Amino acid sequence: MGFRSWRARSRRALVAAALMTTIVTGTAGWAIGSEQQPLTGPPPGTSSWRADHTAGMTLPDPETASPDRIAAFFDSLDQDRRDRLVARHPSVVGNLDGAPAALRFEANSRYLRAERAREQTRVTDPDLTLQDHERARSLIDRYDELLTPGRQILAFDPRGRGQVAEVYGDLATAEHVSVVVPGSDIDLSTFDRATDRYGTPAGMGHALRAATGPRTAVIAWVGYTTPVGLGPDAATGRLAEAGAPRLVRFAQGLTASGTPRPAVFCHSYGSVVCGLAASRLPTADLVVLGSPGMRADSVADLHTTARVWAAKDDSDWIDKVPSVELFGLGHGEDPAEPGFGARRIPAERAEGHTGYFAPGTDSLRAFARIADGAGTSDRNRPTGART
């Protein structure tokens, strides 16, 4: 083995060691993460849906039917049949990509009320532990919040750590739609937590919607199992590989049901999900912020026709994570580096890893222009954006 080859291998070993040190010691006070089991497969209640022949029609399989097929199925139904399916199978209709948004809102409201009633019986169940009772009370509070009048819940799944998607704005009339894909430590309980507001999907979604025009809708999507803390889950692509097909199907369901192709905003580990989904996402703009990498060496490796944008502020701790993918660890090149080929979004006024959507920042201003459709023209790029 020659000296150059030995030196190259040594450098790769050092990079891998540095990456593992970052994972094991954590950054900015994050704890070592526990391994998560990704939620995959069709919506809850699918077996009952498949067995339902009472309406005299064959229902599309939630697991195998395409969003286009599902959209066509609902288009063929009158309102009475639609309403009966919502009443009989709220957990399926509420999570069925391609179904009309209004039906999904109603179905998820029904499903949330049913889950709240179930937890209310668990609070006083003598066969359960005190910890179970406390968990039930916490879920009741969570479901009450999601059932607040005016909230538009486009997806809800209580299994595991829980998943949810919420719409801000009028999806039915929107000329432009955006989807926010979050990173680690996000689930049903942390979707809209009061602390670190702009580090939550709800906070990001609210901020982006407030910064855009009246004909724009934003969806905060927690439809995959995110890593918890820093650990192997955050350093590998395992959860992203499980989440990418779910994101693709969700976005395809939006376009199948008549909404414009969404701009997709991907924060932190969410950008790993978006990188793996990029070639199949129906989007004109793919925006990553605070990204550890997209499992690609360049924009060309994403195999997407979308414009790819990247933002990273100088105070973001993610910049300390080695930009490498080696032996399954790490997520590849930094999308914010010029060599990656993404269009750079200014983020000088953003602070830390979760400050990109904070009001008054240059990054939010640029995001809003992309969400409003201005970023889709070379002649009308977000102010300060660099190519």
Side-chain angles (χ1 to χ4, degrees), residues 28-256:
W30 285 36
I32 298 299
S34 58
E35 185 176 71
Q36 302 294 301
Q37 294 306 311
L39 182 61
T40 58
T46 291
S47 58
S48 296
W49 169 278
R50 286 169 172 161
D52 188 349
H53 302 291
T54 58
M57 55 187 172
T58 301
L59 304 181
D61 192 303
E63 188 168 19
T64 60
S66 70
D68 283 335
R69 167 74 182 91
I70 290 168
F73 167 76
F74 279 97
D75 284 343
S76 72
L77 303 180
D78 58 29
Q79 192 60 45
D80 181 63
R81 285 191 170 186
R82 291 183 176 194
D83 291 342
R84 276 186 282 167
L85 286 176
V86 168
R88 291 177 63 84
H89 305 284
S91 63
V92 174
V93 177
N95 294 283
L96 200 54
D97 296 317
L103 283 187
R104 294 179 67 168
F105 296 153
E106 173 59 27
N108 284 316
S109 179
R110 286 174 176 264
Y111 190 23
L112 278 161
R113 290 196 297 271
E115 285 297 302
R116 180 179 62 184
R118 190 175 75 89
E119 295 302 330
Q120 286 170 338
T121 65
R122 289 170 56 84
V123 168
T124 56
D125 188 334
D127 293 330
L128 298 179
T129 66
L130 292 177
Q131 185 178 15
D132 291 332
H133 293 165
E134 182 57 34
R135 169 66 174 164
R137 281 190 287 268
S138 176
L139 286 173
I140 291 169
D141 291 341
R142 172 80 290 208
Y143 298 156
D144 280 339
E145 292 168 351
L146 294 176
L147 284 165
T148 300
R151 297 192 75 165
Q152 302 177 99
I153 305 303
L154 191 62
F156 164 66
D157 190 337
R159 296 176 297 176
R161 289 159 48 207
Q163 298 182 356
V164 63
E166 184 171 12
V167 177
Y168 312 102
D170 188 345
L171 198 58
T173 62
E175 296 177 356
H176 304 285
V177 174
S178 296
V179 175
V180 175
V181 181
S184 297
D185 297 301
I186 298 296
D187 51 33
L188 185 65
S189 65
T190 57
F191 172 75
D192 53 357
R193 61 178 182 256
T195 57
D196 191 22
R197 179 181 179 187
Y198 299 111
T200 69
M204 295 178 193
H206 274 296
L208 184 58
R209 176 65 186 83
T212 57
R215 302 302 293 273
T216 298
V218 179
I219 305 168
W221 179 80
V222 184
Y224 80 104
T225 303
T226 68
V228 173
L230 285 180
D233 280 347
T236 66
R238 184 177 65 92
L239 295 181
E241 288 165 1
R246 298 173 72 86
L247 175 60
V248 169
R249 188 175 178 87
F250 178 77
Q252 290 174 344
L254 293 177
T255 57

Side-chain angles (χ1 to χ4, degrees), residues 18 22 27-28 312 315-323:
T22 301
T27 307
K312 181 184 287 186
S315 63
D316 191 336
W317 62 259
I318 202 75
D319 200 40
K320 299 177 183 177
V321 175
S323 298

